Amino acid sequence: MANKILEIPSAYEELSIRSEIGLMSYHGGTLEKATDAIARETAEQSGASYYGLIQTDDDPLHFPSTELFKYASNNLNVFFQHIRVVITIHGYGRESLFHSVLLGGRNRALASHIASFLKMALPDYSFEKNLDEIPKELRGLHPKNPVNIPEFAGVQVELPPTLRWNREEWGWSDNGGIGRAKHVDDFIHALSQAIKTLPLKTYLNE
């Protein structure tokens, strides 16, 4: 199904090439709401590269992460030819994990580095980097998952609905005319700082 998404008028890609660190949101727009805004703004603030696949239809198509490459987008190829490590932004919903941010993917040193910044910025949330405590389908460990494609792999960040929801305006942050919630701005700033201060040993997954 992923190879049909770009044939839909309500779907489009975004690409910005900057540093060798990449941010992605390929379930963006109306699918996993606010994830594209978070990835895009974090990339801008940190000087990272960015790839987004945005859907605007009220009934967006969902596809597994492992199928992203099936449509062989030139933008996607350009993005992965440039970056060496990646952070993918996703949204998920589990009633028992409404205040838990899950940090999957194969670069565990990078996951720990990111978690240390996010914890300080968002004390009301927990940041789970122990893979055994993350639901299997949200761990981002499959070799075909985009988070594991670059030379040094990366981190799959799964955001709960409470973090992506704007409580003041009662709607999804950065979506359908709803403004950005303060905690979304806090998250973006903290993740940007984590990227800007990324030590070489973390980058190399040592």
Side-chain angles (χ1 to χ4, degrees):
M1 186 171 291
N3 59 340
K4 299 294 184 182
I5 287 179
L6 290 177
E7 298 176 8
I8 301 171
S10 58
Y12 60 93
E13 292 174 292
E14 296 178 329
L15 176 66
S16 298
I17 297 298
R18 301 185 185 95
S19 76
E20 293 181 330
I21 302 170
L23 269 292
M24 296 185 80
S25 172
Y26 48 84
H27 289 155
T30 52
L31 184 53
E32 295 175 358
K33 298 176 179 68
T35 58
D36 55 301
I38 291 169
R40 185 187 308 111
E41 183 71 18
T42 299
E44 290 176 0
Q45 289 190 17
S46 64
S49 296
Y50 163 69
Y51 173 85
L53 176 54
I54 315 300
Q55 297 187 64
T56 60
D57 194 90
D58 290 337
D59 186 23
L61 297 174
H62 191 280
F63 59 92
S65 294
T66 53
E67 294 185 4
L68 177 62
F69 278 87
K70 284 189 175 180
Y71 63 82
S73 156
N74 183 58
N75 286 331
L76 187 66
N77 292 333
V78 168
F79 177 78
F80 274 104
Q81 286 167 7
H82 180 77
I83 66 168
R84 301 179 75 191
V85 66
V86 71
I87 300 166
T88 61
I89 307 296
H90 295 267
Y92 82 103
R94 295 290 178 90
E95 191 171 348
S96 60
L97 297 170
F98 260 24
H99 289 85
S100 296
V101 175
L102 311 178
L103 303 171
R106 296 194 174 193
N107 193 320
R108 305 317 302 155
L110 179 56
S112 295
H113 176 74
I114 290 173
S116 67
F117 280 79
L118 297 180
K119 286 176 181 177
M120 291 187 291
L122 295 161
D124 294 336
Y125 287 84
S126 63
F127 296 89
E128 186 56 72
K129 53 187 174 47
N130 183 347
L131 290 173
D132 291 336
E133 298 300 321
I134 298 175
K136 186 175 181 180
E137 62 274 20
L138 298 176
R139 293 175 186 171
L141 297 179
H142 195 286
K144 290 185 179 181
N145 187 315
V147 75
N148 300 313
I149 297 298
E151 181 181 2
F152 302 119
V155 176
Q156 177 171 294
V157 181
E158 294 278 355
L159 303 176
T162 53
L163 200 153
R164 296 177 288 126
W165 185 259
N166 188 326
R167 303 178 188 93
E168 287 71 30
E169 298 186 34
W170 201 247
W172 295 103
S173 186
D174 292 87
N175 193 272
I178 299 294
R180 180 169 297 169
K182 181 183 181 301
H183 51 269
V184 171
D185 255 339
D186 292 341
F187 181 92
I188 290 171
H189 178 72
L191 183 54
S192 298
Q193 290 301 114
I195 293 170
K196 288 178 181 178
T197 61
L198 189 60
L200 184 62
K201 66 178 181 179
T202 302
Y203 186 83
L204 296 177
N205 199 20
E206 293 179 349

